[in-house]
């Protein structure tokens, strides 16, 4: 019986190592690549390893009460997960788009734990005036904020020089996206599915982020 058992184990061999699903690159900031922008060809066909100068923006989905927390002002907070979902708390300030011409148009910029990001209010109502803000939504690349555009120059302080460390495609579900697949570059118009979630991991070319914000981005929770 002992000899038979040994032969059986020898034939079976070792079980193949389980392959880990691709996850976020450590220390990277994850941004969403919106399908309609990819289909329009509005985003660059950046490859993994390319260096870009970008202004990630927050697409605001949910606003939270910003009153005192246990009798004190809540500390700044910045958190982005591997799907580009953001939870941020800080101060929002309206920046004039073209003050030289007397234009009254403004764009809101959130300062959360040292991160400066423009806020897109398309999915919710913006607060009245400047002040504290706690928002949940998604971090994405918006071509309207590219260098040389009116919006982009107004928020030039938010621009970052980053390297594309990874591009992933997930299958969209009613809950958490699943089935990550690594891609070599931003997908082109003919490669995009509305049933997918596309994200890119961006790593700064120079260390210009506060250490607390970097830890919050990496771990998915801010201070």
């Amino acid at each position: 019986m002992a000899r038979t058992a040994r032969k059986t184990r020898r034939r079976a061999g070792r079980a193949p190592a389980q392959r880990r699903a691709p996850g976020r690159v450590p220390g990277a900031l994850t941004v969403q690549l919106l399908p309609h922008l990819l289909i329009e060809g509005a985003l660059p066909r950046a490859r993994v390893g390319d260096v870009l100068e970008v202004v990630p923006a927050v697409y605001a989905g949910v606003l939270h009460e910003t009153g005192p927390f246990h009798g004190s002002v809540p500390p700044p907070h910045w958190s982005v997960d591997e799907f580009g979902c953001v939870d941020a708390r800080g101060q929002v300030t309206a920046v004039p788009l073209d003050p030289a011409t007397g234009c009254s148009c403004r764009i809101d910029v959130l300062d959360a734990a040292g991160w400066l990001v423009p806020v897109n209010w398309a999915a919710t109502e913006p607060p009245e005036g400047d002040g504290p803000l706690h928002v949940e939504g998604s971090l994405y690349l918006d071509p309207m904020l590219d260098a040389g555009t009116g919006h982009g120059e107004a928020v030039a302080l938010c621009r970052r020089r980053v390297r594309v460390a990874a591009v992933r495609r997930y299958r969209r579900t009613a809950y958490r996206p699943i089935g990550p697949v690594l891609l070599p570059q931003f997908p082109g118009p003919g490669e995009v599915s509305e049933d997918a979630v596309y994200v890119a991991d961006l790593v700064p070319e120079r260390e210009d982020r506060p250490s607390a914000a970097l830890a919050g981005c990496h771990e998915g929770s801010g201070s």
Side-chain angles (χ1 to χ4, degrees):
M1 290 293 292
R3 180 178 301 175
T4 302
R6 283 197 296 272
K7 288 182 178 179
T8 302
R9 285 197 296 269
R10 191 178 297 120
R11 290 195 204 99
R14 293 184 178 179
Q18 188 174 6
R19 182 177 299 176
R20 292 184 59 186
R24 178 169 54 181
V25 173
L29 179 72
T30 301
V31 297
Q32 294 187 9
L33 311 173
L34 301 186
H36 74 275
L37 296 177
L38 293 170
I39 290 173
E40 294 168 4
L43 298 179
R45 291 300 310 278
R47 301 187 65 86
V48 173
D50 285 354
V51 174
L52 305 175
E53 291 195 3
V54 297
V55 178
V58 172
Y59 189 90
V62 178
L63 298 185
H64 297 283
E65 293 292 334
T66 54
F69 181 71
H70 295 310
S72 63
V73 178
H77 171 85
W78 174 256
S79 172
V80 183
D81 68 12
E82 68 269 32
F83 309 116
C85 297
V86 63
D87 183 329
R89 185 173 57 235
Q91 294 287 321
V92 67
T93 302
V95 178
L97 280 179
D98 195 356
T101 62
C103 175
S104 61
C105 301
R106 297 155 75 89
I107 184 169
D108 288 319
V109 173
L110 175 66
D111 181 348
W115 287 84
L116 296 176
V117 288
V119 183
N120 182 341
W121 301 110
T124 188
E125 290 292 329
E128 295 183 3
D130 298 349
L133 176 70
H134 183 186
V135 60
E136 287 186 73
S138 56
L139 198 66
Y140 75 107
L141 293 187
D142 189 339
M144 288 185 64
L145 301 176
D146 287 347
T149 65
H151 287 72
E153 292 310 305
V155 295
L157 287 176
C158 305
R159 187 166 297 121
R160 300 177 182 279
R161 183 176 171 83
V162 297
R163 176 173 51 83
V164 181
V167 180
R168 294 188 301 282
R169 181 187 68 234
Y170 294 88
R171 181 153 55 87
R172 189 185 300 276
T173 71
Y175 302 100
R176 185 184 179 92
I178 62 174
V181 175
L182 289 175
L183 303 178
Q185 67 183 112
F186 290 11
E191 304 166 343
V192 179
S193 169
E194 291 285 357
D195 297 325
V197 175
Y198 300 91
V199 303
D201 288 347
L202 307 180
V203 176
E205 274 292 276
R206 58 183 182 274
E207 190 52 65
D208 57 356
R209 295 183 292 179
S211 58
L214 175 61
C217 171
H218 180 48
E219 299 298 336
S221 60
S223 58

